[in-house]
Amino acid sequence: MKYHQSNFRTVVKLFIFIISLFFVTHLYSQKNYIITKDYDNLKWSDFVTKVEQNYGLQFFYDENVNPDLIVKFQENSIPLVDLLQNTLKVYDLFASIDDLSGNIFITKNIALKTKLPEGFIPKDTIAKEEIGKVEQEKAKEEKKDFLKTTKKFIAENYTVGTKKQGVNKKYATISGYILDSKTKEPVIGATILDKDNNSGTATDKNGYYELKVRTGKHRFEISNISSLKKTIDVQVFSDGKMDLFLDEKVVFLDDVIVRAEAENKVSGTQMGIEKLKIKSVKKIPLVFGEKDVMKVALLLPGVQSIGEGASGFNVRGSPTDQNIFYINNVPIYNTSHVAGFFSAFNSDAIDEFTLYKSNIPINYGGRLSSVFDIKTKNGSQSGIKANGGIGIITGRLMVEGPIKKDKSSFLVGVRSTYSDWVLRMAKNENLKNSNVNFADALTNFTFQLNQNNWLNIFTYFSHDKLDLASRSKYAYQNYGASINWKHFFKKKHSLELSFIHSGYNFDEENTEIASFSYEHRNKISHTELKANAEINYNEKHKFNAGLNAILYNIDRGNPEPLNEESSFKALTLGKEKGLEIGLFVGDEFKVSEKLTVNGGARFNIYSYLGPQKVYEYEPGLPMNEENIIDTLNFGSNKFIKTYSGLDLRIAANYLINDNLSIKASYNRLHQYIYMLSNTIAVAPNYKWKLCDYNTKPLIGDQFSAGIFSSLFGNRYEFSVEAFYKRTKNLVEIKNGASLFLNQYAEQSIVQGDLDAYGIEFMFKKKVGKTTGWINYTYSKTDVQVDSEFFENQINSGEKFPSNYDKPHSLNMVLTHDISRQINVSTNFVYSTGRPITYPTSIYFLDGTQYLNYSVRNDYRIPDYIRMDMSLTIEGNLKKNKLAHGSWTISVYNLLGRKNVYSVYFTKTDEKINGYKISVFGVPIFSITYNIKLGNYEN
């Protein structure tokens, strides 16, 4: 079952065709503001929204304009100006377009002039009296056609500094925060532009800005992609503070989110980053209709699925235990429900998620491959809101609101399943008698103590119970909490302190073999203190420094016989404790307008702590019982073994122009915890293990380089990124070793090297009725475990493809708005089948049959191909109503393809029989009803 190239060629052709279709559609639809039949018979407010979003224009109209106007067509396509004139003249309305700003003015009974009449402003102001009476009267008559604007267009007035402090000063520095006027949260990436001098700056992640200008009068324009534009007049005398507030702009959030993300990708130094707002992915069709951030991550470049319904994923050719997942600073050690079918995170409560897979920020440590950082929403400070949904097998609810208006808020989200009725419909008796259920809950409390101090308290809990009839019973829980305090110094620097605790518990009752049935409980806890300071020294330097300390406690459990009939012998696998401390410092240095460099160092110290009994082995010989030469006993909290290492980060970005940049980066990281498992998936019964007296820490190096571009006025984004990564001391399981029955893990494992390299292509369409992305990844991953001793070798010491090596991967996500109330989305996923080792023959030795296997991972399971589709229908979109509802109908695996999850073999007589296992072999239909209390938000 070798990998075939035919499927890949077909997929590449499809990929090229879709990209070509995107370009043709764009070039046709965007030319000269041509309005198509899609705008026919719309209410005026809906028509305005569509034009503003698709063409970047803005409408202004006076209070006499009836918002219930209906836009009519006379032909299939028409220029925007002609459409407006033909539509509005029957209502005695006039439309005028300002060529310079692109703004559109709609007025009643009188046409608005958008250009000054000739001679309106005399060329020689000194000779005003010499202007003839005829010209003066003409100018006066022309001026009558100009309407007085509303207060919406009148600039607010501000004063910065004092006259006394500004004496003899030519320049001054203005600084402050730009905040949301309702939530008082910082507006990230807001721009403040000095219209007179065409200079400006943008806010950082705290909403902070700093701008150097000449003293005197200025007109500033403040804008953000999700806020209404604001114009202010400022009198600057000297250095001073100026905080500003922006009003929210109601727009299609998927357009907005991708645009902001693209700006960071081109101008920022960060590489290998994927950042999405949850509202931009809620339309993506997923299994059982659940909006799952973890499954959406699998549609991003460089991220590979382990298999259908499996937990965890591989990032750029690395194993699953080299990823770490945070939600509001709380690490989650099992990110799935029902062994991988659902995410452990409630999408309603999530604001955004960020995946770092290259040039990981210096304040993160402890994992070699990726950091998955999830941020929840802060509760509403203005009023009580609620939303939720009911699906075929799950239900969810989220409530948020103020504790003290404009000062503090709460958010509570819960989710549960009622899936047993589906199992009762199964034909298989064992499946019919099974029970599966899960639940999760989170809370988020935010307090603005004063202008310079914020406090956040977050909690999380999830529970799963799986009773697979006649085989085994699982029960596992995630839990965690964080307390986060943030203090601002001089409104430009910040200090953030966090206390975090999380854990994962797992219980198992295994009755697969009745005479060998057992029960087993294990758990891991994670307690962390974190401090991070950010210092905005000047426009060229942004420093950050801090430390974190993590205390790990692992109880590997004591497997015991389940009942008196079991012959299982009780074991004591023991407990472990480890302390990891990291100190870091970093700086982003803007060398010039074109070149920005980001660098940092992180010093790690890790200690394996007692109480513990450890073995010493004969140097240079395999670690097994025969080679034990001494036994060492350590008391509680005694230092058994200490490792240290220096993490490095360096990245550079060179801006060729505002829409094109090239970047390069290098990472070095250390990891002191790994996963013990005989499978590639994160199964519920996997076990975490600390590096110890006999197991070395994992060390990873990664090099990346890429080109990043925004196209056609920021409507499209394209990037190419190549990478090479090498991992030392990778943990692999010895051939035929048993992890479960061995108290001393070093006797069951070996350590080797991993090499991964690849290239990722990403193309994204961000605005318009059709949005989405297409990405292709080529990657190769090889593992080598060599030793002078045969029992410590894998594949005779030769390189072999890793279990998660999938050279080709293609993902496509498309979303099309049929109207404001109807949306259709589709996914297409293709990847090479993962490697597998096959039995190739049977041989006999002294009358006993033996299987002869191929070299390690010499074959592959069939390629993976899947298409999904969903349809979302919104209810009435009136703004002021008690509740808004919507229906989502989705089909997962639309093609009904029986994608192979695994292959296993049985031996009967002199034959070997192979069997394929598929999780979903038919289309999976689902329907979900979503409801929201409060004003409509898209």
Side-chain angles (χ1 to χ4, degrees):
M1 203 180 298
K2 292 276 189 180
Y3 170 64
H4 298 288
Q5 294 290 332
S6 58
N7 282 334
F8 176 64
R9 292 193 197 99
T10 302
V11 172
V12 170
K13 291 178 182 178
L14 177 63
F15 178 67
I16 295 172
F17 170 75
I18 292 172
I19 288 182
S20 302
L21 186 62
F22 263 106
F23 274 105
V24 172
T25 302
H26 170 80
L27 293 174
Y28 175 80
S29 64
Q30 300 297 323
K31 187 177 182 181
N32 295 326
Y33 301 122
I34 295 296
I35 305 296
T36 65
K37 192 71 176 177
D38 298 325
Y39 288 74
D40 193 12
N41 290 325
L42 286 175
K43 282 189 176 182
W44 180 256
S45 58
D46 296 339
F47 169 77
V48 168
T49 299
K50 290 172 71 68
V51 172
E52 286 185 342
Q53 290 179 350
N54 290 338
Y55 298 97
L57 304 176
Q58 190 167 2
F59 279 78
F60 300 98
Y61 50 93
D62 64 38
E63 60 187 7
N64 296 316
V65 177
N66 183 355
D68 292 326
L69 299 178
I70 302 298
V71 178
K72 297 286 187 181
F73 272 77
Q74 295 181 350
E75 51 185 308
N76 287 336
S77 63
I78 187 172
L80 175 60
V81 177
D82 294 344
L83 170 65
L84 291 172
Q85 301 296 357
N86 294 339
T87 300
L88 299 177
K89 65 183 180 181
V90 298
Y91 300 101
D92 293 324
L93 299 178
F94 296 86
S96 304
I97 297 182
D98 183 356
D99 293 336
L100 182 61
S101 67
N103 295 331
I104 302 169
F105 299 88
I106 310 299
T107 55
K108 182 79 171 179
N109 296 323
I110 185 170
L112 183 65
K113 300 293 186 180
T114 59
K115 293 182 179 179
L116 293 176
E118 186 177 354
F120 183 79
I121 301 177
K123 295 182 179 179
D124 186 359
T125 57
I126 300 177
K128 284 183 179 179
E129 297 180 358
E130 298 179 7
I131 299 176
K133 292 182 179 181
V134 176
E135 286 78 11
Q136 291 185 32
E137 290 299 320
K138 182 180 179 182
K140 289 179 180 178
E141 288 299 317
E142 293 284 356
K143 287 196 289 183
K144 289 181 181 178
D145 290 341
F146 286 83
L147 294 182
K148 183 179 180 180
T149 58
T150 65
K151 64 179 181 179
K152 178 178 180 180
F153 310 109
I154 299 175
E156 300 176 13
N157 294 305
Y158 289 80
T159 300
V160 177
T162 65
K163 292 182 179 180
K164 183 178 179 180
Q165 293 176 337
V167 173
N168 298 326
K169 287 191 175 181
K170 292 184 178 181
Y171 293 93
T173 299
I174 305 172
S175 61
Y177 292 89
I178 297 180
L179 308 173
D180 185 280
S181 61
K182 287 186 177 180
T183 65
K184 305 302 185 293
E185 293 183 356
V187 180
I188 303 171
T191 59
I192 178 167
L193 177 66
D194 185 347
K195 298 289 288 184
D196 299 325
N197 299 306
N198 198 29
S199 62
T201 187
T203 57
D204 62 15
K205 68 178 183 179
N206 298 316
Y208 179 81
Y209 74 92
E210 190 172 274
L211 181 63
K212 188 176 182 180
V213 298
R214 284 183 173 272
T215 55
K217 290 185 178 181
H218 296 266
R219 172 158 287 191
F220 291 147
E221 185 180 88
I222 302 94
S223 62
N224 178 258
I225 209 70
S226 59
S227 305
L228 291 174
K229 190 179 294 184
K230 185 174 188 176
T231 301
I232 62 174
D233 286 333
V234 183
Q235 175 67 58
V236 180
F237 291 112
S238 64
D239 294 352
K241 309 296 182 184
M242 183 174 66
D243 292 341
L244 301 167
F245 296 89
L246 291 179
D247 296 325
E248 180 185 9
K249 182 167 76 174
V250 180
V251 291
F252 289 128
L253 287 177
D254 52 341
D255 293 353
V256 171
I257 278 91
V258 180
R259 183 179 298 177
E261 176 194 355
E263 291 173 356
N264 291 333
K265 279 200 167 184
V266 173
S267 61
T269 56
Q270 194 67 53
M271 296 187 67
I273 180 174
E274 303 293 343
K275 186 173 184 177
L276 291 172
K277 287 277 189 178
I278 191 64
K279 290 182 180 179
S280 69
V281 301
K282 280 191 172 182
K283 297 174 183 177
I284 296 175
L286 297 168
V287 66
F288 299 123
E290 276 289 314
K291 302 309 175 186
D292 188 335
V293 295
M294 307 304 293
K295 301 303 181 186
V296 172
L298 294 172
L299 299 172
L300 299 173
V303 184
Q304 297 272 6
S305 170
I306 295 169
E308 203 105 55
S311 177
F313 48 74
N314 306 113
V315 177
R316 290 188 169 180
S318 295
T320 56
D321 59 357
Q322 292 183 14
N323 309 312
I324 190 165
F325 305 87
Y326 290 106
I327 179 167
N328 283 20
N329 289 330
V330 175
I332 302 299
Y333 280 84
N334 189 334
T335 60
S336 72
H337 286 305
V338 196
F341 285 103
F342 300 97
S343 165
F345 307 115
N346 185 342
S347 62
D348 284 339
I350 295 173
D351 181 34
E352 66 179 27
F353 66 90
T354 305
L355 175 62
Y356 300 99
K357 53 193 166 118
S358 172
N359 190 227
I360 295 172
I362 195 65
N363 53 303
Y364 294 106
R367 294 296 189 277
L368 303 188
S369 183
S370 74
V371 174
F372 200 111
D373 190 16
I374 300 172
K375 299 298 183 185
T376 66
K377 301 174 183 176
N378 288 332
S380 169
Q381 293 188 2
S382 58
I384 298 293
K385 298 180 181 180
N387 63 286
I390 300 174
I392 293 178
I393 61 176
T394 61
R396 65 188 194 278
L397 176 66
M398 186 187 75
V399 181
E400 58 180 314
I403 299 173
K404 184 178 180 180
K405 195 169 183 180
D406 297 329
K407 289 294 183 181
S408 56
S409 65
F410 74 89
L411 181 147
V412 178
V414 294
R415 189 172 52 145
S416 186
T417 186
Y418 33 84
S419 56
D420 286 351
W421 71 272
V422 177
L423 296 175
R424 300 294 174 264
M425 299 173 63
K427 295 181 180 180
N428 184 286
E429 285 299 320
N430 287 336
L431 200 58
K432 184 179 293 187
N433 295 323
S434 298
N435 292 290
V436 176
N437 60 75
F438 72 81
D440 58 56
L442 60 81
T443 65
N444 193 31
F445 299 91
T446 303
F447 304 90
Q448 184 180 0
L449 305 179
N450 53 46
Q451 191 175 10
N452 293 323
N453 292 276
W454 289 76
L455 181 68
N456 179 265
I457 301 174
F458 173 79
T459 66
Y460 175 82
F461 177 79
S462 72
H463 174 78
D464 282 72
K465 188 174 182 180
L466 289 79
D467 182 358
L468 305 177
S470 79
R471 291 192 62 192
S472 58
K473 295 180 181 180
Y474 295 148
Y476 54 93
Q477 303 88 33
N478 286 291
Y479 60 89
S482 65
I483 300 174
N484 188 75
W485 170 64
K486 192 164 190 176
H487 175 72
F488 294 96
F489 296 92
K490 298 182 180 181
K491 291 195 173 182
K492 62 186 295 186
H493 316 305
S494 66
L495 173 65
E496 192 168 354
L497 300 176
S498 302
F499 174 75
I500 303 142
H501 180 75
S502 74
Y504 173 68
N505 299 335
F506 172 77
D507 299 336
E508 177 185 11
E509 292 184 6
N510 192 305
T511 57
E512 190 167 358
I513 303 175
S515 61
F516 199 71
S517 59
Y518 62 87
E519 59 180 354
H520 182 208
R521 295 174 176 83
N522 66 77
K523 58 186 178 182
I524 177 174
S525 70
H526 175 123
T527 304
E528 182 173 1
L529 288 172
K530 183 186 295 185
N532 186 31
E534 294 187 357
I535 302 171
N536 295 287
Y537 182 72
N538 54 37
E539 293 180 356
K540 291 188 175 182
H541 289 277
K542 292 182 179 179
F543 293 99
N544 70 306
L547 62 88
N548 73 307
I550 304 172
L551 179 64
Y552 299 102
N553 279 283
I554 296 178
D555 184 352
R556 297 178 62 197
N558 304 310
E560 297 176 344
L562 183 61
N563 48 49
E564 294 181 357
E565 289 75 25
S566 175
S567 60
F568 183 88
K569 293 184 179 180
L571 295 171
T572 300
L573 298 180
K575 299 179 179 180
E576 290 187 304
K577 185 184 293 186
L579 178 64
E580 179 183 344
I581 299 175
L583 297 94
F584 60 88
V585 61
D587 178 31
E588 183 173 280
F589 175 33
K590 191 172 183 179
V591 181
S592 67
E593 290 297 322
K594 297 287 188 181
L595 179 63
T596 304
V597 177
N598 190 318
R602 179 187 183 94
F603 183 68
N604 304 291
I605 304 174
Y606 167 79
S607 295
Y608 189 61
L609 305 177
Q612 197 64 257
K613 181 178 76 173
V614 300
Y615 288 140
E616 278 194 329
Y617 299 88
E618 186 72 39
L621 295 180
M623 286 183 277
N624 53 42
E625 291 188 15
E626 292 76 16
N627 296 323
I628 296 174
I629 59 174
D630 199 2
T631 302
L632 306 176
N633 290 283
F634 296 86
S636 180
N637 295 321
K638 296 296 183 182
F639 289 82
I640 300 173
K641 186 78 172 182
T642 297
Y643 299 96
S644 63
L646 185 66
D647 286 358
L648 296 173
R649 313 281 198 280
I650 186 167
N653 176 17
Y654 184 79
L655 276 172
I656 298 174
N657 56 49
D658 290 342
N659 299 314
L660 181 65
S661 67
I662 55 175
K663 304 181 188 181
S665 69
Y666 166 71
N667 269 17
R668 163 160 280 212
L669 302 101
H670 291 74
Q671 181 170 329
Y672 303 97
I673 185 171
Y674 59 93
M675 192 171 65
L676 287 173
S677 175
N678 284 320
T679 68
I680 63 169
V682 182
N685 59 346
Y686 68 84
K687 301 170 183 65
W688 288 95
K689 175 75 177 68
L690 294 174
C691 294
D692 55 26
Y693 189 84
N694 293 298
T695 308
K696 298 176 182 178
L698 286 69
I699 303 173
D701 296 279
Q702 182 174 180
F703 299 87
S704 301
I707 301 173
F708 303 82
S709 176
S710 59
L711 308 170
F712 300 107
N714 226 11
R715 289 183 172 89
Y716 297 92
E717 177 187 289
F718 179 74
S719 62
V720 181
E721 189 169 344
F723 66 90
Y724 170 76
K725 63 196 303 185
R726 182 175 179 82
T727 300
K728 298 178 181 178
N729 303 327
L730 180 75
V731 175
E732 289 282 325
I733 309 303
K734 284 184 179 180
N735 292 323
S738 171
L739 293 172
F740 180 70
L741 299 176
N742 200 332
Q743 180 180 355
Y744 298 95
E746 68 268 14
Q747 297 179 7
S748 299
I749 65 172
V750 287
Q751 294 189 273
D753 297 325
L754 177 146
D755 287 286
Y757 57 90
I759 187 168
E760 301 167 358
F761 298 86
M762 179 73 161
F763 178 80
K764 184 181 293 183
K765 185 177 187 293
K766 307 179 299 177
V767 296
K769 296 176 65 175
T770 302
T771 58
W773 68 78
I774 303 171
N775 60 66
Y776 166 74
T777 302
Y778 173 80
S779 63
K780 196 74 180 70
T781 307
D782 292 319
V783 174
Q784 184 173 30
V785 181
D786 196 9
S787 171
E788 58 182 305
F789 302 102
F790 179 76
E791 66 180 273
N792 283 355
Q793 293 179 351
I794 295 179
N795 202 47
S796 301
E798 299 294 326
K799 285 186 176 182
F800 61 92
S802 70
N803 292 333
Y804 30 86
D805 175 58
K806 298 179 181 180
H808 302 286
S809 175
L810 176 70
N811 300 304
M812 179 181 71
V813 178
L814 292 178
T815 299
H816 180 72
D817 293 322
I818 299 174
S819 69
R820 286 197 68 192
Q821 292 177 268
I822 302 176
N823 165 274
V824 63
S825 298
T826 184
N827 303 335
F828 178 80
V829 179
Y830 166 83
S831 68
T832 308
R834 67 176 179 84
I836 192 170
T837 305
Y838 280 178
T840 55
S841 61
I842 297 175
Y843 66 93
F844 293 85
L845 183 63
D846 296 330
T848 303
Q849 279 188 2
Y850 293 93
L851 287 178
N852 186 40
Y853 285 87
S854 67
V855 296
R856 189 82 163 239
N857 290 342
D858 195 38
Y859 291 83
R860 293 185 182 272
I861 64 175
D863 295 350
Y864 183 93
I865 300 175
R866 193 190 80 240
M867 179 175 283
D868 316 316
M869 186 168 289
S870 73
L871 176 69
T872 300
I873 304 173
E874 294 281 355
N876 190 302
L877 300 184
K878 290 182 179 179
K879 183 177 180 181
N880 296 314
K881 58 185 287 190
L882 177 62
H884 294 272
S886 66
W887 291 93
T888 299
I889 303 167
S890 65
V891 185
Y892 182 85
N893 192 20
L894 181 65
L895 304 177
R897 181 179 170 88
K898 294 182 178 180
N899 287 302
V900 177
Y901 176 79
S902 183
V903 176
Y904 72 96
F905 301 88
T906 61
K907 178 172 63 68
T908 57
D909 298 329
E910 298 181 6
K911 292 184 178 181
I912 302 173
N913 298 313
Y915 300 90
K916 301 175 184 177
I917 301 175
S918 295
V919 178
F920 298 118
V922 296
I924 305 297
F925 293 84
S926 64
I927 183 168
T928 303
Y929 180 70
N930 304 289
I931 188 169
K932 179 185 182 298
L933 301 180
N935 290 341
Y936 174 76
E937 294 178 6
N938 192 33

